[in-house]
Amino acid sequence: MHPKEVYFIRHGETEQNKLGIVQGSGIDSDLNKLGLIQGKAFHTNFLDKEFDVAISSDMKRAYQTIQFFENHKLVIERDPRIKEICWGEHEGKQGDPELLTKYYKIIESWKSGDYHVSALFGESAAEMEARLIEFLNDLEFREARRVLVCTHGRTLRALVCKLKNWPLSRMEEIEHSNTGLYHCIYDGKSWEIIKENYLGHLNGI
């Protein structure tokens, strides 16, 4: 198997990001003007990579970020396994004191290794991890040599933990910005991360 390059990025900015409103998988928002500029800037800087495969989550904000790569040779696949975690009762809301208290309790539970805790009506870290393991296993066996993957903040944190062989209890250590890039190499046995949350394509924006 030839080494595989994978470019994992988070989607561009949405108005909900800007306003501090929780989206999760239940709010299928569009990119705002800045988010589209970020996506176009990423395309301009990485078009020469000539990706063999491009995959976004099945949510609009992820697809819209990498839509500029789609052409007659490259059709973007949409995979629900890399959608954002479901934040249940938090979705569509800003963090009022009661919700923030609940949120931080969930994060502390995950930090302590209890991945089965979730928001009310939401998805647990364990449930998210199961779908991401399946996605990564499929990705590792694909023949493509250069792959672009666009996903979401919490999902990206969990994915990077898997690539680093870290437990999900360390998710909060993973930085993620809108269109932040994790450039990775898979050699057939293990992953190496070359760049972490790289934002050089946003210079001047």
Side-chain angles (χ1 to χ4, degrees), residues 16 19-24 27 87-96 99-100 102 120-121:
Q16 287 82 356
L19 298 173
I21 296 172
V22 177
Q23 295 169 102
I27 306 295
W87 283 112
E89 66 173 331
H90 296 260
E91 293 180 345
K93 301 174 184 176
Q94 289 179 308
D96 63 47
L99 283 177
L100 282 174
K102 291 181 179 180
L120 183 64
F121 310 122

Side-chain angles (χ1 to χ4, degrees), residues 97-117:
E98 181 182 356
L99 283 177
L100 282 174
T101 297
K102 291 181 179 180
Y103 170 80
Y104 287 120
K105 283 184 178 179
I106 295 167
I107 299 301
E108 289 304 314
S109 294
W110 292 346
K111 282 183 178 181
S112 70
D114 187 355
Y115 307 137
H116 293 283
V117 171

Side-chain angles (χ1 to χ4, degrees), residues 17 53 77 96 147 159 170 184:
N17 290 148
V53 174
E77 301 174 18
D96 63 47
V147 181
L159 277 169
R170 299 184 66 178
C184 307

Side-chain angles (χ1 to χ4, degrees), residues 3-197:
K4 188 192 314 290
E5 276 188 282
V6 184
Y7 293 68
F8 294 94
I9 69 167
R10 184 188 173 200
H11 64 80
E13 185 183 88
T14 67
E15 279 304 297
Q16 287 82 356
N17 290 148
K18 184 177 178 180
L19 298 173
I21 296 172
V22 177
Q23 295 169 102
S25 62
I27 306 295
D28 195 14
S29 51
D30 293 291
L31 296 185
N32 63 15
K33 183 177 179 181
L34 176 58
L36 289 168
I37 290 171
Q38 291 169 335
K40 185 62 177 175
F42 183 86
H43 172 263
T44 299
N45 280 267
F46 291 94
L47 179 61
D48 65 336
K49 300 303 179 184
E50 298 184 350
F51 295 107
D52 301 306
V53 174
I55 308 169
S56 78
S57 83
D58 60 347
M59 308 195 75
K60 291 187 293 185
R61 58 191 184 270
Y63 169 75
Q64 289 170 0
T65 301
I66 61 171
Q67 64 183 309
F68 307 102
F69 288 93
E70 193 162 42
N71 54 50
H72 66 285
K73 293 182 179 179
L74 183 65
V75 176
I76 296 169
E77 301 174 18
R78 305 192 198 195
D79 196 320
R81 294 176 296 181
I82 55 171
K83 66 184 178 183
E84 183 59 297
I85 195 170
C86 176
W87 283 112
E89 66 173 331
H90 296 260
E91 293 180 345
K93 301 174 184 176
Q94 289 179 308
D96 63 47
E98 181 182 356
L99 283 177
L100 282 174
T101 297
K102 291 181 179 180
Y103 170 80
Y104 287 120
K105 283 184 178 179
I106 295 167
I107 299 301
E108 289 304 314
S109 294
W110 292 346
K111 282 183 178 181
S112 70
D114 187 355
Y115 307 137
H116 293 283
V117 171
S118 69
L120 183 64
F121 310 122
E123 183 181 20
S124 70
E127 290 170 321
M128 176 178 61
E129 181 181 37
R131 58 180 167 86
L132 295 181
I133 289 172
E134 182 181 290
F135 173 79
L136 282 176
N137 286 342
D138 287 348
L139 183 61
E140 289 171 355
F141 280 99
R142 294 192 71 150
E143 290 299 320
R145 294 195 185 188
R146 187 170 289 129
V147 181
L148 173 61
V149 177
C150 187
T151 185
H152 305 261
R154 177 59 55 176
T155 310
L156 185 58
R157 280 179 159 170
L159 277 169
V160 173
C161 281
K162 305 310 296 182
L163 301 179
K164 288 176 173 277
N165 286 317
W166 285 6
L168 294 187
S169 57
R170 299 184 66 178
M171 280 192 288
E172 298 308 305
E173 299 177 41
I174 306 301
E175 296 183 0
H176 62 87
S177 305
N178 291 120
T179 68
L181 166 67
Y182 280 81
H183 179 196
C184 307
I185 305 291
Y186 180 66
D187 65 5
K189 294 182 179 179
S190 61
W191 289 89
E192 178 185 3
I193 299 179
I194 307 300
K195 293 179 180 177
E196 300 196 29
N197 199 37

